[in-house]
Amino acid sequence: MRLLLLGGTQFLSRAVAAEAVRRGHVVVCANRGRSGTVPPGVRTVRWDRAEEAPAELTDGASYDAVVDVARHPSHVRRALDAVPEAHWVFVSTISVYADDADPAGPGKGALRPAITDDVDAAESVDAYGGMKVACERLVLDELPGAAVVRPGLVVGPGDPSGRFAYWARRSTATGDVLAPGRPSDVVQVIDVRDLAAWLVTLAEDGTGGVYDAVGAPLPIADLLGECLPDANLVWVDQEFLEADGVQPWAGPDSIPLWLPRPAYDGMLAHDAGPALAAGLTPRPLAETTRDTRAWLDADPAARIGGITAEREADLLSRWGSQGF
């Protein structure tokens, strides 16, 4: 297979490039070359997608498949114009869904209003999700047989968000560890390597359809139990954390992976069944934890995020003083 990957230098797209090369495919990555390097064995074409595609992108050769991770509608339009006949695998996001409390997936969940102009995705999740909705529509309108893949929380070695890495870093912890919310709160993650492998398979097989690319939902107690098997998890109520200004999800004063309930009951509880039936094969969570920890140990500069140990100890002390 001759695969065009739009990206190839960061986290998921780089993992896709590496997996495709490992399987013996010819891989061309089109990118600006500003945010990292492509894996060995990949040919790179420089393309700032704010501009028209360079002639070098096609140079008389065709592509069997395209994998695109773009978030800007104009970028997708230009790519579709440049490579209109290949099988497309477009990587979207579960942030296209309008209601984070509702886990309804493709064909059931309402989508955010499409944002057809390019805006700063950092402005809000609405901007990011809305542009991805517009990108999906461009691809499916032009190529009805394309695959649209909506990942949830992608984790594993190289994760730039630090959300799962916060817990993997502590995988050998003993003693008390603050666990946020209720043990029964549902979460789900997908290892970047498993997602990348599946995207390559969708490209190889010419598979179409719309999928939520997620691992099986599980109680957060199970996830943290896998990540920190020797720790004593101390469950701290959401109301206490919110009153103390602890932030959810990600950031320097956050407890990563924690999401307020019921407002986010559905965000990490999507149906993995259709993706699993289409070949997505998640590895055991313990393996993801182990490999993420190894990556962190090998790269001291890796971004983690989350509250400090001192902040956690203070929260646990004050929570315990209330008699819980």
Side-chain angles (χ1 to χ4, degrees):
M1 176 177 69
R2 183 174 167 86
L3 174 69
L4 174 62
L5 176 59
L6 300 172
T9 61
Q10 291 186 310
F11 198 38
L12 176 58
S13 66
R14 195 176 196 280
V16 172
E19 176 65 16
V21 168
R22 188 190 68 79
R23 297 191 193 184
H25 298 306
V26 175
V27 181
V28 177
C29 287
N31 55 62
R32 296 178 300 173
R34 299 177 186 174
S35 57
T37 60
V38 298
V42 171
R43 177 190 166 208
T44 299
V45 173
R46 295 288 176 239
W47 182 17
D48 183 337
R49 293 175 69 181
E51 303 170 357
E52 296 304 315
E56 184 187 2
L57 187 70
T58 53
D59 62 13
S62 61
Y63 297 95
D64 298 296
V66 175
V67 176
D68 190 8
V69 298
R71 65 179 62 183
H72 293 111
S74 71
H75 293 184
V76 173
R77 291 188 196 99
R78 292 188 184 96
L80 287 166
D81 288 343
V83 191
E85 297 181 358
H87 176 66
W88 273 66
V89 179
F90 181 71
V91 181
S92 187
T93 169
I94 59 167
S95 293
V96 296
Y97 293 114
D99 188 355
D100 290 325
D102 182 2
K108 301 176 183 178
L111 302 183
R112 298 180 189 275
I115 297 176
T116 57
D117 296 324
D118 295 355
V119 299
D120 184 357
E123 290 180 2
S124 70
V125 68
D126 288 341
Y128 174 59
M131 283 193 296
K132 282 288 197 178
V133 171
C135 292
E136 289 185 7
R137 291 180 181 173
L138 286 167
V139 172
L140 292 173
D141 286 349
E142 183 75 17
L143 301 167
V148 169
V149 174
R150 297 168 177 166
L153 180 56
V154 184
V155 304
D159 174 12
S161 77
R163 285 170 290 208
F164 182 80
Y166 171 87
W167 300 105
R169 180 189 62 182
R170 311 180 70 187
S171 59
T172 59
T174 58
D176 291 346
V177 170
L178 192 158
R182 299 169 302 184
S184 59
D185 289 340
V186 173
V187 295
Q188 60 192 163
V189 299
I190 185 69
D191 191 296
V192 63
R193 297 164 294 181
D194 300 331
L195 177 55
W198 185 50
L199 293 173
V200 174
T201 298
L202 294 176
E204 289 173 336
D205 296 344
T207 302
V210 181
Y211 305 93
D212 288 346
V214 293
L218 71 164
I220 191 171
D222 292 357
L223 182 145
L224 295 185
E226 286 280 352
C227 291
L228 298 92
D230 300 317
N232 176 44
L233 299 176
V234 180
W235 295 95
V236 178
D237 283 352
Q238 171 178 311
E239 292 75 14
F240 177 86
L241 297 173
E242 289 177 329
D244 211 83
V246 178
Q247 298 300 305
W249 195 231
D253 195 32
S254 73
I255 297 181
L257 291 190
W258 166 52
L259 287 168
R261 311 302 171 118
Y264 290 92
D265 270 347
M267 185 173 173
L268 297 180
H270 285 253
D271 182 8
L276 297 177
L280 177 62
T281 307
R283 70 191 63 205
L285 187 59
E287 183 178 335
T288 300
T289 302
R290 180 200 67 203
D291 294 347
T292 304
R293 176 61 186 259
W295 162 65
L296 293 170
D297 289 344
D299 185 3
R303 176 182 170 186
I304 300 295
I307 59 174
T308 64
E310 294 77 15
R311 173 85 155 123
E312 179 183 20
D314 176 64
L315 289 165
L316 285 173
S317 175
R318 288 187 288 111
W319 175 251
S321 70
Q322 297 184 25
F324 296 102

